[in-house]
Each structure stands twice: as C-alpha cells, then as structure tokens.
Amino acid sequence: MLERWRLEHSFELSTTLLVLFMISTTIGVVHTRMAAGMRRTFEARGISIGRSIGAVATPSLLSYNYPALQAAAEGAAADDGLDYVVIHDKEGVVAGIASGSGLEEMIPKSLSLGPREPSSHDVRFEGLRGQEVRVLEVVVPVLVEGVEEPWGVVRVGLSHAPMLAELRRLDFDLLVLGVMLAAAAVLAARVLARRITAPLRRLAEGTEAVSSGDLDHRIPVQGARELADLARAFNAMAERVRAKAREAAEFQKALEELNASLEQQVLERTLALRESEAQYKTLVEHSPDSILIVQDGRLRFVNPTFTETFGVEAEEATSGRFDLTTAFNTSSAALVRSRIAQWERGEPAAPVEVLGQDASGRQRCFELRGSRIEYQGRSAAECLLVDMTEARRLRERLAETEKLRALGELAGGVAHDFNNLLGAILGRTQLLRRRGFDPEVDRELSVIEKAALDGRETVRRIQEFSRVRRDRRFGPVDLAEVVKDAVEITRGRWKAEAEQRNVAIQVELDTAEAPPILGSAAELREVFTNLILNAVDAMPQGGRLRLRCRRQGDRVVAEVEDTGVGMTEEIRRHVFDPFFSTKGSRGMGLGMSVVYGIVTRHEGRIEVDTALGRGTRFRLDFPVAEELPAPVEPDGEQAAAPVRPGRILVIDDEPEVAAVVRDVLTLEGHEVDTAFRANDGIRMVSVSPYDLVLTDLGMPDMSGWEVAEKVADMRPGLPVALITGWGTSLDEDEARRRGIVAVVHKPFEVDELVRVAGAALSRSAAGGTG
C-alpha cells in the first residue's frame, strides 16, 4: 500500500508541477509579448502625433513665431493620454511647452538635435505630489524640404498608466485561467494515477500468490493496451511456471530411472574413453599440424610435427629450458604468449595468425588456435599451429586477381551507365542549341555541352582502363580557349560558393593569340579545372587567381598562379604522387597525378613554384603543332544525304536515350518509332515497313546482336545500326557479317547520329548494306 501511495502521489505531484511550470511560462511569455506590442503601439501613436504637430508647427518654426508654437503645444497637450508636448526650434531652444497634467515645471527641457529619424525612450521624474511619473517620450524631428538638418524637434510624452492598467487586467485574467487549468490538471492526474496503479496492485497481488505456490492464479486482462499487455505477460509467465513445474517433476522421475542403470553406463563410458584415447593418440602423432600443450608457460607436450617443423627434440622442448616464443618473430612473440595465457585461464580468444621460423630459417605463417584443457589434474592450454604459408600466398594472389577483375568490371559498368546519362544530356543540349536561344542562354548551354563532352572523354579513359576502348585521336586544340572554358566550368566554386562564405576571389585572365597544339580538349580542360579548384582550396580567406596563356618560341605556355597558403618543399616534391593529399578525408590524392599524366601524354611539361605564405604557380608548356592532322571522315567516307525521309525504329531500354534519338531524327524529317524492349521492337518490325533499325547493344531481354539476326531473318536487306555505351572495339567485318551497317558510341553528338542515319538510309536506297 505504501508503494502504491508513493507511485500515485509522485505521479500527481510531478504532473501538477509540470502543468504549473507550463502555465507560468505561458503567462510570462504572453505578458512579455503584450507589453512589447503595447509599447510599439504607443511609440507609433507618439510618432504619428509628433509628425502631425510638426506639420502644423513648420511655418511657425520657419518664422520663429513662438506664440503660435506655444498655442500649438497647448492645443496638442489637451489630447487624452498625452502628459506633455514640447516644441524645440532649430537651435534646440524650447519654443512651446504644455502639459495636460500640469507638469510643465517638471518636464526636462534639455535636448540635443539628433538624427533625422524619430526615436523614443522612457523618462522618469517626480510629479506634483511627489510620486514618480513614468512617461514614454517620443522625439520627432521637423524636416524641411531641401534642408539637411532638422528645423526643429517635437517631443511628445505619453503616460505609461493606460498601458500598465491594461497589463494588470491581462495578468489577472491569465492568473485566473492558470488557477483553473492547474485545478483541472491536478484532478485529471489523480484520476489517471489511480487508473494506472490499480492494475499494478493486481499484478503485485498475483506475484505474491504465485510465489506462495498458487500457480493457477490469474489476473484480469483489462485497462490500457500497455497494462493489458502486462497482464497477459503475467498470465503467460504463470502458465510457463506451471509447465516448468510439470517438466521438473517429469525430469525427476526420468533421473530416478536413469540412476537405476548408472553402473552399466559408467562401464560403457569407460570403454569408450579408452577407445577415444587411442584414437586421439593416433590423430595427434600423425597430424600434419603442430600440436602442443602449455602449462604455466612451459611446454608439457609436443607432437612429432612440431619437432620436425622447428628442429627441436621432444625431450628438449619439454625440459623447461626451451622458450616457445623464440620460434616466432619479435612482432608475434608477445601475441603468442598472451593468447596461450588466455586459453590457459579459460578465457575465450579467437585464432590469430603469427609469423615464425622453421628449422631451416625460412619464415612461415601459422594460424594459432587453442582451448583450455585439464592436463595431469591442472589447467593447461592445448594449442594447434596450422601452417598457412602457402594458403596465405595463394589467398593474397587470388585477392589481387579478384580486385583487378572486379575493378575492371566496375569500370566497364560505370562507363556504360555514364554513357547512357551523358547521351541524354549531350543530345538534349545540342537539340536546345539548335532552337536559337539568345546569346546568353546559348553560352550557358555551350558550357553544359562542353562539360558533357569532357565527361565523355573521362568515360573513355575509364574504358581504356578496363580494356573496353582503344580508339584515341588527338586533334588541334586552342589552349587559350581551353583555359577560358575551365574558368567558366569552375565559376560556381570560385565565385558563387566563395561569395556564400563572404570570401572574395579575384580571377584575372590574360590570354594572347597562340598557335594550336595537338591534344584532347576535354583532357586539357580537366587539367586546368583541377588546377583552378586546388588554387581555390588554397585560398580559404580569398585572394587573387591569375591565369595566363601565350606563345614562347616553339612552345605554348600556360600559368595558373594563386596567392594562397603555398606548400612546403616536402609537399612540393610529392604533389604529383598518386594518393598523396593534404586535404584529409576531403581528397583522394588522385587529381594532381591525373594532371601530370595528361600533361605527359601531350608531350608537355609542368613545373611548380611555391613557398609557404606566398602562394603557388603552376607552369605548363606544350609543343606547338607543327603539322595539323587532316580531318578524317568517320567510317572513311563522306556520309551521303538520305534520298528521302525514312521510317526508323529505335530500340533502347533507356527511355531518355531513345527519346533523344527520336527527337533528333524527327527534326531531320524522318518518321521515328521507339521500343523500350527488344522483343517489342522485333514485333514492330514484323508488322511495319521500316527503312532503318537503330538498336542498343546491351539490353536485359536481348542483345543488339540477336536483334540484328532476327531482323535479318524477317526482313532481309533492312539495315541495322548499333548504339552502344559499352565502348567495345568492334571488328567492322564481323559487324557487317552480322548485318550491322554502322556503330554509334554513346554519348553521341547530334551531327554524328544524323550522319550515320543518313548514310545508312542512302546505302539502303542504293540497294546494299555494305
């Protein structure tokens, strides 16, 4: 009963205190906000009255008509709620003063002409009867058009009494409401506490009944869901206790029956033990792994494999003079000693790999396993040394092979997915540019197009890594244009993000006319993008980034210079090393190694001039292209315009890519249908006369090769072209034997797609697929 009283009253008390705290907090917040709102209302009223008086008194102030100003003050002071009105002229002299409460002598007269905006403050002074008078004084400057300084000031004193009276009425109402809410909360808490403790009391009574042996006692399941669940749990527990009691009785009966045949079982177990000992001895002596028993840190038993492996006789090993840890490397000796001690004490410990030396001095890798046993009546550790040297070597070689294979597969898969995404981006961007937007929009679209083209080059390098792409062509590149593109691509970092951090980074671009170099514009843009981003990271407090490009002799030189934190000589020496980074978890350490690799592939050079506190300058130079390569027409021939608009079927499991192909070819006047599954495309070919089929190479239900074969069976002579994002280097003869007239690599350009479709339709119209 005492516990029930404590629970009920504790719940009631805590609930009451919480409600009182919430009510008092609410009253305080409401009081504060109402007081602030009233004060703002009073200030607005005072400013309005002051401006009205100032508008009336402006002519009198301009003419220094003090009697008129005094009359204006007296007329305004008669307003209800105003304690006083004071008008000052331009020099701050009191030109008119009046008080509706007869406080003219008590009103502060001093005033310094301040700003042109109205202001307010509280004034306290002693009234006629000696009581303190609180007034909100609002100061309103009188402004004259064309004059910078105020021509006078109007001071309006508003009594605090109405506001205080209203606040007292509000506080009284809130207090009455709070008392009513507190009383309701106390009553509700008391009722709720009684409802909660009643099931708990029944649970306590049931527990006492079960503990006294009444296993059939149950408590009713009722009340809130949690309390009902508690009652069910108690009843289930009582049922289990009763079941366990029955099981105990049955077990006791079985135990008595078992004891009756105990002697026979002991005899059988003794014979089995002897057989087990013989089998164990044979197993230990012929085991290919070293088996040993350690007790109190000393070897007590070793099997023949141990003596052969470490070149020590069994008698010497168990004599007490042999230290087991000398058979292991220094790095493993302490671990061996610790694990054996754990097993000897009976503590669980996982197997561990250790390094040791065999009898011939060769290093071997062992897996040390063990457990606690009783040896000659005392605790000991039985250990097993499994030679893992060859298995470890094979495992490491297999892991390296798996890593390379997985990395290649991952690179190929990522390249395929990115090609699909870039195909949609590049195609849509080029379609938008054909619509003729204004130059500013077209410039932004060109940045997106160049970024997509750069992404295509990046994917091609991934495909080269995974050995799925081997075509590589360099062409003439304007290095100054590449630098400008990199500045535009990184604008979001050095301008937008820097401004969000209240940091200013000034970018200066100085490019002169220079001859082209041979290379890949996308790779070179990646070089300068990396350098610009690193320079921005090196200027966390802002600074200046200068980029220059010019010709020097037979080289084209570009420089990226920043005023950042600079680098130490040690960092400068390793800046181009793979996986070397000074950014911690924010960097992978691959950006500068990629820069170095791209510059080297372009037969260029890169130099670093830096020091702590004075910034960094990267200087890159490339050889001038002495002889520009002649433009090569894809497929070795000029694509002929189609004889007539054709009907084309596009099969691709990527709806975005199929939509881009459809829109591009539709703009060229062709009639285009799309299918998102190969089987659907085959059915459409069987019922509709198409002039050309464009199919994706890799699709879930059927490959592009299979589509070409089925189309050839149904419609001999119907040309089929492949669109692939895998970048696989296809053999032209093999492709043509399978009925493929052309291959388009994702992400494709609009002009390339139009050219391939036109060439295929032209050949089809001429009567052949070759």
Side-chain angles (χ1 to χ4, degrees):
M1 183 60 68
L2 180 60
E3 294 298 328
R4 174 174 171 268
W5 185 92
R6 289 177 180 174
L7 180 60
E8 285 185 13
H9 289 76
S10 297
F11 184 84
E12 293 173 10
L13 181 60
S14 60
T15 304
T16 302
L17 292 177
L18 177 61
V19 171
L20 290 177
F21 173 75
M22 294 175 63
I23 292 173
S24 61
T25 303
T26 304
I27 292 174
V29 171
V30 172
H31 175 86
T32 302
R33 292 190 176 181
M34 289 298 297
M38 290 180 179
R39 180 181 178 88
R40 287 193 297 271
T41 303
F42 268 50
E43 288 177 352
R45 180 169 178 261
I47 291 172
S48 176
I49 294 173
R51 284 177 175 169
S52 300
I53 297 172
V56 173
T58 298
S60 301
L61 283 172
L62 291 174
S63 60
Y64 292 92
N65 186 351
Y66 290 101
L69 294 172
Q70 178 63 33
E74 291 174 353
D79 191 1
D80 186 24
L82 290 183
D83 275 358
Y84 60 82
V85 175
V86 183
I87 302 175
H88 294 262
D89 62 12
K90 183 178 181 182
E91 287 75 21
V93 176
V94 175
I97 182 170
S99 172
S101 305
L103 303 174
E104 290 88 345
E105 298 300 327
M106 306 297 177
I107 300 172
K109 309 299 190 300
S110 61
L111 175 72
S112 59
L113 295 181
R116 295 169 57 88
E117 298 296 329
S119 62
S120 65
H121 57 278
D122 289 326
V123 177
R124 299 171 184 264
F125 55 89
E126 187 175 351
L128 296 176
R129 299 179 181 178
Q131 77 278 14
E132 183 183 54
V133 178
R134 293 183 59 193
V135 177
L136 175 65
E137 182 176 281
V138 180
V139 180
V140 181
V142 180
L143 303 177
V144 177
E145 184 178 358
V147 179
E148 181 69 22
E149 298 296 329
W151 201 266
V153 173
V154 176
R155 293 165 52 201
V156 177
L158 301 172
S159 174
H160 274 272
M163 181 174 66
L164 295 177
E166 183 65 25
L167 282 176
R168 282 193 294 270
R169 286 193 298 273
L170 176 64
D171 290 344
F172 178 77
D173 293 342
L174 290 175
L175 182 61
V176 171
L177 178 61
V179 171
M180 295 172 63
L181 289 176
V186 170
L187 181 60
R190 184 170 185 81
V191 173
L192 184 60
R194 289 184 176 180
R195 291 191 61 186
I196 291 175
T197 56
L200 296 179
R201 183 172 63 255
R202 289 194 294 271
L203 179 63
E205 294 171 353
T207 304
E208 292 177 359
V210 171
S211 63
S212 62
D214 184 7
L215 300 181
D216 295 325
H217 183 84
R218 300 292 184 271
I219 60 177
V221 178
Q222 60 185 17
R225 190 177 71 175
E226 292 80 1
L227 298 176
D229 291 343
L230 188 61
R232 293 191 190 95
F234 174 83
N235 293 338
M237 179 203 68
E239 186 63 32
R240 286 196 296 271
V241 169
R242 186 169 62 178
K244 291 296 181 181
R246 288 197 301 267
E247 291 177 4
E250 294 173 358
F251 179 77
Q252 182 66 27
K253 181 179 179 181
L255 183 60
E256 293 174 355
E257 295 175 354
L258 182 62
N259 288 335
S261 59
L262 183 58
E263 292 184 1
Q264 182 62 29
Q265 293 180 12
V266 169
L267 178 60
E268 293 175 357
R269 294 293 179 87
T270 303
L271 294 175
L273 181 59
R274 290 175 182 174
E275 294 176 359
S276 176
E277 289 178 351
Q279 294 172 358
Y280 178 77
K281 182 178 181 181
T282 302
L283 179 63
V284 170
E285 291 180 350
H286 295 86
S287 172
D289 301 316
S290 298
I291 299 176
L292 53 148
I293 296 177
V294 182
Q295 191 176 64
D296 298 331
R298 292 177 52 188
L299 281 173
R300 298 298 186 185
F301 170 82
V302 294
N303 70 337
T305 304
F306 181 90
T307 61
E308 294 173 5
T309 301
F310 295 100
V312 58
E313 295 297 331
E315 293 78 8
E316 181 184 354
T318 57
S319 63
R321 297 188 301 271
F322 179 75
D323 187 0
L324 176 62
T325 57
T326 59
F328 299 95
N329 290 2
T330 305
S331 59
S332 300
L335 183 58
V336 170
R337 188 183 302 109
S338 172
R339 286 300 169 93
I340 292 177
Q342 284 181 277
W343 289 322
E344 194 172 349
R345 292 193 299 268
E347 299 176 3
V352 63
E353 287 192 358
V354 294
L355 297 176
Q357 291 182 341
D358 60 12
S360 60
R362 292 178 302 176
Q363 180 170 286
R364 291 194 183 185
C365 177
F366 298 97
E367 184 178 71
L368 178 62
R369 306 173 185 175
S371 62
R372 180 186 178 278
I373 63 169
E374 289 289 331
Y375 184 75
Q376 296 181 352
R378 292 192 298 120
S379 176
E382 183 180 44
C383 303
L384 184 68
L385 281 173
V386 182
D387 193 344
M388 303 292 293
T389 306
E390 185 65 20
R392 184 181 186 184
R393 185 180 65 82
L394 294 176
R395 192 165 59 238
E396 291 175 352
R397 182 177 299 176
L398 179 62
E400 292 175 359
T401 304
E402 286 297 317
K403 284 182 182 178
L404 291 176
R405 182 187 63 80
L407 193 56
E409 292 179 357
L410 176 63
V414 169
H416 172 266
D417 293 341
F418 267 96
N419 277 334
N420 282 329
L421 296 174
L422 291 173
I425 295 172
L426 182 59
R428 286 296 178 191
T429 304
Q430 292 181 340
L431 282 175
L432 288 174
R433 295 196 68 188
R434 288 190 170 194
R435 295 184 180 178
F437 289 101
D438 60 79
E440 180 65 22
V441 175
D442 187 69
R443 185 180 69 82
E444 299 293 340
L445 289 174
S446 69
V447 173
I448 299 175
E449 181 182 10
K450 288 178 181 178
L453 291 171
D454 291 352
R456 179 175 67 179
E457 294 302 316
T458 301
V459 171
R460 283 179 178 172
R461 289 198 296 279
I462 294 175
Q463 291 171 332
E464 289 172 352
F465 170 79
S466 60
R467 300 176 182 265
V468 296
R469 190 165 194 109
R470 293 179 287 277
D471 54 325
R472 192 91 211 137
R473 295 177 182 175
F474 278 178
V477 176
D478 184 350
L479 196 60
E481 191 66 23
V482 168
V483 173
K484 294 177 183 176
D485 291 342
V487 171
E488 286 299 318
I489 290 172
T490 58
R491 179 179 294 273
R493 283 286 300 277
W494 59 260
K495 182 173 178 62
E497 291 186 15
E499 289 176 353
Q500 289 177 1
R501 295 184 289 110
N502 294 325
V503 172
I505 296 179
Q506 181 181 357
V507 176
E508 299 177 4
L509 187 61
D510 179 13
T511 58
E513 186 175 353
I517 65 172
L518 284 180
S520 167
E523 290 188 9
L524 292 172
R525 273 193 291 269
E526 184 175 357
V527 167
F528 288 99
T529 298
N530 269 322
L531 294 178
I532 292 173
L533 294 179
N534 280 349
V536 171
D537 290 340
M539 297 185 291
Q541 304 302 323
R544 185 177 66 254
L545 175 61
R546 181 181 293 116
L547 298 100
R548 292 186 288 268
C549 183
R550 62 191 183 279
R551 176 174 185 170
Q552 285 187 357
D554 62 344
R555 313 284 289 186
V556 177
V557 179
E559 294 180 352
V560 179
E561 182 179 0
D562 64 70
T563 59
V565 296
M567 293 181 281
T568 64
E569 180 60 23
E570 178 68 18
I571 294 177
R572 189 195 68 80
R573 287 199 303 268
H574 296 285
V575 69
F576 296 116
D577 292 351
F579 303 106
F580 176 80
S581 175
T582 59
K583 300 178 183 179
S585 60
R586 296 186 298 110
M588 295 291 294
L590 293 175
M592 296 309 296
S593 63
V594 169
V595 167
Y596 185 83
I598 293 175
V599 173
T600 303
R601 282 199 300 274
H602 285 74
E603 300 180 3
R605 297 175 300 210
I606 182 169
E607 299 174 355
V608 186
D609 180 18
T610 183
L612 278 178
R614 67 177 185 87
T616 302
R617 182 181 65 184
F618 286 88
R619 185 180 186 274
L620 301 83
D621 66 89
F622 303 90
V624 173
E626 297 180 358
E627 184 177 352
L628 298 179
V632 178
E633 188 68 27
D635 296 335
E637 60 181 354
Q638 181 69 31
V643 177
R644 58 177 175 77
R647 187 173 183 188
I648 302 173
L649 173 63
V650 178
I651 306 174
D652 199 311
D653 61 326
E654 294 289 340
E656 295 82 2
V657 177
V660 170
V661 176
R662 179 197 61 208
D663 294 347
V664 169
L665 297 178
T666 301
L667 287 177
E668 295 298 319
H670 303 294
E671 181 182 352
V672 184
D673 295 331
T674 57
F676 302 138
R677 297 177 70 252
N679 289 324
D680 295 340
I682 295 298
R683 283 194 294 270
M684 294 171 70
V685 170
S686 65
V687 299
S688 300
Y690 290 104
D691 301 311
L692 174 64
V693 175
L694 295 172
T695 177
D696 188 15
L697 176 60
M699 293 180 288
D701 54 342
M702 190 183 303
S703 70
W705 299 119
E706 295 173 305
V707 171
E709 293 176 0
K710 292 183 179 296
V711 169
D713 292 339
M714 291 188 300
R715 295 277 306 279
L718 175 60
V720 178
L722 282 182
I723 302 179
T724 175
W726 287 101
T728 307
S729 184
L730 301 175
D731 181 81
E732 290 189 10
D733 294 335
E734 177 67 21
R736 286 170 180 168
R737 279 195 300 271
R738 294 192 176 198
I740 304 299
V741 299
V743 177
V744 180
H745 292 287
K746 299 177 185 177
F748 51 78
E749 297 189 45
V750 169
D751 293 338
E752 177 189 7
L753 181 62
V754 171
R755 180 191 61 76
V756 170
L761 290 172
S762 297
R763 287 194 291 268
S764 177
T769 62

